[in-house]
Amino acid sequence: PRLFFFFLLGRFVDLLAESIRNKTQVILKSYHSANSNEIRDRLVEPIHFGDNYQSVVALDTQDTICKQFKLDRIGEVIELKKTFEFETLHQKNQTDIFGMTGDSDTWVTLHLTLRSYLLLREEFPISIPYTEKTDDGYQFHGPVSNFEGVSRFILGLLDEIKIINPAGLK
């Protein structure tokens, strides 16, 4: 079963890459959305992949905004021969260290204990270049697209992390 899952994800990457190249719309069948808490089909215009091909940034034609869609939440990818209708609305939002997308970066500085440092490295390996050893622990200083992802990490280790900057994150 696990091997089939990886085969399926690989097939999704192939279909979405072809759609990006050909600038054609696709349907993401039975997409499981954590934001809306619903499972439904999404007609999208894929723009680019997120880190490690775990997600695709695409324009949702119903809302006409760019969103990140996680590949493991897609039931099936259906190719359409219909060309992009909303290309002028496409945004090349980048995925941040914590898997969130956005169009601007805010730099965050955190003081970390050894435990939180190790968990940060394991769960978010892209963070490694943004961390360094200090006299009393470790420090993370890196860009985030929004506070949602980094906040989730902080809240899970509240006694192990001290927010240094920005004040709005506190």
Side-chain angles (χ1 to χ4, degrees):
R2 189 173 173 103
L3 188 58
F4 179 73
F5 174 74
F6 288 118
F7 170 78
L8 195 60
L9 289 181
R11 179 78 178 125
F12 292 170
V13 168
D14 290 344
L15 292 170
L16 291 166
E18 185 176 330
S19 172
I20 291 168
R21 270 192 311 278
N22 297 331
K23 297 185 176 188
T24 56
Q25 295 178 340
V26 297
I27 296 174
L28 306 179
K29 291 287 290 179
S30 304
Y31 184 76
H32 296 66
S33 172
N35 289 330
S36 65
N37 269 334
E38 61 183 14
I39 300 170
R40 67 178 173 88
D41 297 348
R42 306 291 182 105
L43 175 62
V44 302
E45 297 180 353
I47 302 166
H48 66 87
F49 289 101
D51 292 326
N52 298 321
Y53 293 88
Q54 293 179 358
S55 64
V56 63
V57 174
L59 182 114
D60 185 329
T61 62
Q62 181 177 352
D63 302 335
T64 60
I65 59 172
C66 294
K67 300 178 180 178
Q68 177 177 279
F69 296 92
K70 302 229 181 245
L71 269 57
D72 61 356
R73 295 183 186 169
I74 299 171
E76 182 182 355
V77 176
I78 299 178
E79 300 174 88
L80 301 176
K81 300 300 179 197
K82 191 173 181 185
T83 58
F84 287 169
E85 286 182 41
F86 304 98
E87 193 167 6
T88 57
L89 301 176
H90 290 193
Q91 297 175 348
K92 295 272 186 175
N93 293 348
Q94 295 299 311
T95 304
D96 73 12
I97 292 164
F98 298 91
M100 300 291 126
T101 57
D103 55 6
S104 66
D105 285 334
T106 301
W107 283 77
V108 168
T109 305
L110 306 172
H111 180 269
L112 308 167
T113 63
L114 175 61
R115 180 173 183 248
S116 60
Y117 165 72
L118 292 172
L119 289 171
L120 179 68
R121 288 176 55 106
E122 289 170 9
E123 294 176 23
F124 306 101
I126 300 167
S127 70
I128 293 170
Y130 300 97
T131 58
E132 63 184 6
K133 177 91 172 96
T134 62
D135 292 336
D136 60 344
Y138 295 86
Q139 180 173 290
F140 167 79
H141 180 71
V144 298
S145 296
N146 63 56
F147 292 153
E148 188 176 333
V150 70
S151 295
R152 191 178 306 146
F153 179 74
I154 293 167
L155 288 172
L157 296 160
L158 208 49
D159 295 335
E160 310 263 348
I161 298 173
K162 180 180 177 193
I163 300 168
I164 308 299
N165 279 313
L169 180 58
K170 293 178 183 180

Short mmCIF file of all heavy atoms in Angstrom, two decimals, residues 28-42 60 62-63 67 69 73-74:
data_model
loop_
_atom_site.label_atom_id
_atom_site.label_comp_id
_atom_site.label_asym_id
_atom_site.label_seq_id
_atom_site.Cartn_x
_atom_site.Cartn_y
_atom_site.Cartn_z
N LEU A 28 -8.45 18.77 -9.43
CA LEU A 28 -7.95 18.00 -8.30
C LEU A 28 -9.18 17.35 -7.67
O LEU A 28 -9.96 18.00 -6.98
CB LEU A 28 -7.23 18.91 -7.29
CG LEU A 28 -6.10 19.80 -7.83
CD1 LEU A 28 -5.51 20.64 -6.72
CD2 LEU A 28 -5.04 18.94 -8.51
N LYS A 29 -9.36 16.07 -7.96
CA LYS A 29 -10.54 15.34 -7.49
C LYS A 29 -10.45 15.08 -5.99
O LYS A 29 -9.39 14.73 -5.48
CB LYS A 29 -10.69 13.99 -8.20
CG LYS A 29 -11.05 14.07 -9.66
CD LYS A 29 -12.48 14.47 -9.88
CE LYS A 29 -13.43 13.39 -9.47
NZ LYS A 29 -14.83 13.76 -9.64
N SER A 30 -11.56 15.25 -5.32
CA SER A 30 -11.69 14.91 -3.89
C SER A 30 -10.56 15.50 -3.06
O SER A 30 -9.95 14.81 -2.24
CB SER A 30 -11.73 13.38 -3.71
OG SER A 30 -12.76 12.82 -4.46
N TYR A 31 -10.28 16.78 -3.26
CA TYR A 31 -9.22 17.43 -2.49
C TYR A 31 -9.68 17.63 -1.05
O TYR A 31 -10.75 18.18 -0.80
CB TYR A 31 -8.80 18.76 -3.11
CG TYR A 31 -7.64 19.38 -2.35
CD1 TYR A 31 -6.36 18.88 -2.51
CD2 TYR A 31 -7.83 20.40 -1.43
CE1 TYR A 31 -5.29 19.40 -1.78
CE2 TYR A 31 -6.79 20.93 -0.71
CZ TYR A 31 -5.51 20.42 -0.88
OH TYR A 31 -4.46 20.92 -0.16
N HIS A 32 -8.87 17.20 -0.09
CA HIS A 32 -9.15 17.32 1.34
C HIS A 32 -8.56 18.63 1.84
O HIS A 32 -7.35 18.74 2.00
CB HIS A 32 -8.53 16.17 2.13
CG HIS A 32 -9.09 14.84 1.79
ND1 HIS A 32 -8.94 14.23 0.56
CD2 HIS A 32 -9.82 13.99 2.53
CE1 HIS A 32 -9.53 13.07 0.56
NE2 HIS A 32 -10.08 12.89 1.75
N SER A 33 -9.39 19.63 2.10
CA SER A 33 -8.92 20.93 2.55
C SER A 33 -8.94 21.04 4.07
O SER A 33 -9.97 20.82 4.70
CB SER A 33 -9.78 22.05 1.96
OG SER A 33 -9.43 23.28 2.53
N ALA A 34 -7.77 21.38 4.63
CA ALA A 34 -7.71 21.60 6.08
C ALA A 34 -8.30 22.96 6.44
O ALA A 34 -8.78 23.16 7.55
CB ALA A 34 -6.26 21.52 6.55
N ASN A 35 -8.28 23.92 5.50
CA ASN A 35 -8.82 25.25 5.78
C ASN A 35 -10.33 25.28 5.82
O ASN A 35 -10.93 25.85 6.72
CB ASN A 35 -8.31 26.26 4.75
CG ASN A 35 -6.84 26.56 4.92
OD1 ASN A 35 -6.32 26.50 6.03
ND2 ASN A 35 -6.17 26.87 3.84
N SER A 36 -10.97 24.68 4.81
CA SER A 36 -12.43 24.72 4.74
C SER A 36 -13.09 23.50 5.37
O SER A 36 -14.32 23.46 5.47
CB SER A 36 -12.89 24.85 3.28
OG SER A 36 -12.53 23.68 2.55
N ASN A 37 -12.29 22.51 5.77
CA ASN A 37 -12.83 21.28 6.35
C ASN A 37 -13.82 20.58 5.44
O ASN A 37 -14.84 20.07 5.89
CB ASN A 37 -13.48 21.55 7.70
CG ASN A 37 -12.53 21.41 8.84
OD1 ASN A 37 -11.54 20.68 8.74
ND2 ASN A 37 -12.79 22.09 9.93
N GLU A 38 -13.51 20.56 4.14
CA GLU A 38 -14.38 19.86 3.20
C GLU A 38 -13.57 19.13 2.15
O GLU A 38 -12.40 19.43 1.93
CB GLU A 38 -15.38 20.83 2.56
CG GLU A 38 -14.76 21.94 1.75
CD GLU A 38 -15.79 22.91 1.19
OE1 GLU A 38 -16.95 22.89 1.63
OE2 GLU A 38 -15.43 23.67 0.30
N ILE A 39 -14.22 18.16 1.55
CA ILE A 39 -13.62 17.39 0.46
C ILE A 39 -14.44 17.69 -0.78
O ILE A 39 -15.65 17.44 -0.82
CB ILE A 39 -13.66 15.88 0.76
CG1 ILE A 39 -12.90 15.58 2.05
CG2 ILE A 39 -13.09 15.08 -0.42
CD1 ILE A 39 -13.09 14.16 2.55
N ARG A 40 -13.75 18.28 -1.79
CA ARG A 40 -14.46 18.59 -3.04
C ARG A 40 -13.46 18.72 -4.18
O ARG A 40 -12.27 18.82 -3.97
CB ARG A 40 -15.31 19.84 -2.90
CG ARG A 40 -14.56 21.13 -2.71
CD ARG A 40 -15.53 22.33 -2.65
NE ARG A 40 -14.86 23.54 -2.30
CZ ARG A 40 -14.28 24.37 -3.18
NH1 ARG A 40 -14.30 24.09 -4.47
NH2 ARG A 40 -13.68 25.47 -2.77
N ASP A 41 -13.98 18.70 -5.38
CA ASP A 41 -13.15 18.86 -6.56
C ASP A 41 -12.75 20.31 -6.71
O ASP A 41 -13.55 21.22 -6.42
CB ASP A 41 -13.90 18.42 -7.83
CG ASP A 41 -14.27 16.94 -7.81
OD1 ASP A 41 -13.74 16.21 -6.94
OD2 ASP A 41 -15.07 16.53 -8.66
N ARG A 42 -11.51 20.55 -7.18
CA ARG A 42 -11.01 21.90 -7.40
C ARG A 42 -10.52 22.02 -8.83
O ARG A 42 -9.67 21.24 -9.26
CB ARG A 42 -9.83 22.22 -6.47
CG ARG A 42 -10.09 22.00 -4.99
CD ARG A 42 -11.09 23.01 -4.45
NE ARG A 42 -11.29 22.83 -3.03
CZ ARG A 42 -10.80 23.61 -2.10
NH1 ARG A 42 -10.07 24.65 -2.40
NH2 ARG A 42 -11.04 23.36 -0.83
N ASP A 60 -6.87 28.74 -7.82
CA ASP A 60 -8.19 28.12 -7.68
C ASP A 60 -9.15 28.96 -8.50
O ASP A 60 -9.38 30.13 -8.20
CB ASP A 60 -8.58 28.11 -6.20
CG ASP A 60 -9.88 27.38 -5.93
OD1 ASP A 60 -10.77 27.38 -6.81
OD2 ASP A 60 -10.01 26.80 -4.84
N GLN A 62 -12.31 28.93 -8.82
CA GLN A 62 -13.56 29.35 -8.16
C GLN A 62 -13.35 30.63 -7.36
O GLN A 62 -14.15 31.55 -7.43
CB GLN A 62 -14.08 28.25 -7.24
CG GLN A 62 -15.39 28.61 -6.56
CD GLN A 62 -15.94 27.49 -5.70
OE1 GLN A 62 -15.44 26.37 -5.73
NE2 GLN A 62 -16.97 27.78 -4.96
N ASP A 63 -12.25 30.70 -6.61
CA ASP A 63 -11.96 31.87 -5.79
C ASP A 63 -11.09 32.89 -6.51
O ASP A 63 -10.91 34.00 -6.02
CB ASP A 63 -11.24 31.46 -4.50
CG ASP A 63 -12.05 30.48 -3.67
OD1 ASP A 63 -13.28 30.46 -3.79
OD2 ASP A 63 -11.43 29.73 -2.90
N LYS A 67 -3.35 29.39 -4.27
CA LYS A 67 -3.34 28.63 -3.03
C LYS A 67 -2.31 27.51 -3.15
O LYS A 67 -1.92 27.12 -4.24
CB LYS A 67 -4.71 27.99 -2.77
CG LYS A 67 -5.85 28.96 -2.64
CD LYS A 67 -7.14 28.22 -2.45
CE LYS A 67 -8.32 29.17 -2.32
NZ LYS A 67 -9.59 28.44 -2.17
N PHE A 69 -1.72 23.58 -2.59
CA PHE A 69 -2.45 22.32 -2.49
C PHE A 69 -1.45 21.21 -2.20
O PHE A 69 -0.52 20.99 -2.98
CB PHE A 69 -3.21 22.03 -3.79
CG PHE A 69 -4.28 23.03 -4.10
CD1 PHE A 69 -4.00 24.13 -4.91
CD2 PHE A 69 -5.56 22.89 -3.60
CE1 PHE A 69 -4.98 25.07 -5.20
CE2 PHE A 69 -6.55 23.82 -3.89
CZ PHE A 69 -6.26 24.92 -4.69
N ARG A 73 -3.15 15.17 -0.31
CA ARG A 73 -4.57 15.39 -0.03
C ARG A 73 -5.43 15.31 -1.30
O ARG A 73 -6.63 15.55 -1.25
CB ARG A 73 -4.79 16.75 0.63
CG ARG A 73 -4.13 16.86 1.99
CD ARG A 73 -4.44 18.20 2.60
NE ARG A 73 -3.70 18.38 3.84
CZ ARG A 73 -3.62 19.54 4.46
NH1 ARG A 73 -4.24 20.60 3.98
NH2 ARG A 73 -2.93 19.64 5.57
N ILE A 74 -4.80 15.00 -2.42
CA ILE A 74 -5.50 14.91 -3.71
C ILE A 74 -5.92 13.48 -3.94
O ILE A 74 -5.13 12.55 -3.77
CB ILE A 74 -4.58 15.39 -4.86
CG1 ILE A 74 -4.17 16.84 -4.68
CG2 ILE A 74 -5.26 15.19 -6.21
CD1 ILE A 74 -3.09 17.31 -5.65
#
